[in-house]
Amino acid sequence: MSDSGASAGPTVARAALGCVCPRCGQGKLFAGLLAFRPACAVCGLDFSGMDTGDGFAVPILIVLGAIVVGAAFWVDTKFSPPLWVHAIIWPPVTCVLVVLMTRYIKSFLAAQQYSTRRSEMSG
Ligand SMILES: [Zn+2]
């Protein structure tokens, strides 16, 4: 598991956490909430070929479901709010978390894909 050195760009983790271009680490990866830009505004790397697929939706559903249900149980035990409070709190919280997790996972997959392609090209 050695990172073959001499990589001027960001690490996969750094690109993923920053939601930035995996080559220069500066250009923004997303145009809106979840869509990739066509290309990096800083270094011009083409993002259109990056295909993250839909497979990441499954772990998001499982992990996020556990987190939200656990949080709902905790809030209910701790504060015993009426049911309508749960009905108001959890849908928006879930939506925000889904978008955040999807952004990080998509940028991670894009950075991973770029890193793999780059190392394949350089031999
Ligand atoms: Zn770039």
Side-chain angles (χ1 to χ4, degrees), residues 35-111:
F36 285 152
R37 290 170 184 269
C40 176
V42 176
C43 73
L45 176 66
D46 185 11
F47 294 156
S48 64
M50 291 183 172
D51 179 20
T52 55
D54 297 327
F56 62 82
V58 176
I60 287 182
L61 287 176
I62 293 171
V63 170
L64 202 61
I67 290 174
V68 169
V69 169
F73 270 118
W74 181 80
V75 166
D76 196 55
T77 311
K78 186 99 175 167
F79 304 105
S80 311
L83 204 54
W84 63 265
V85 172
H86 286 293
I88 289 178
I89 292 176
W90 300 113
V93 166
T94 307
C95 290
V96 168
L97 288 178
V98 162
V99 169
L100 283 178
M101 275 183 82
T102 304
R103 280 174 71 95
Y104 286 128
I105 290 180
K106 277 185 84 166
S107 17
F108 171 77
L109 290 174

Side-chain angles (χ1 to χ4, degrees), residues 16-27:
L17 287 175
C19 295
V20 291
C21 167
R23 182 159 74 187
C24 65
Q26 292 176 6

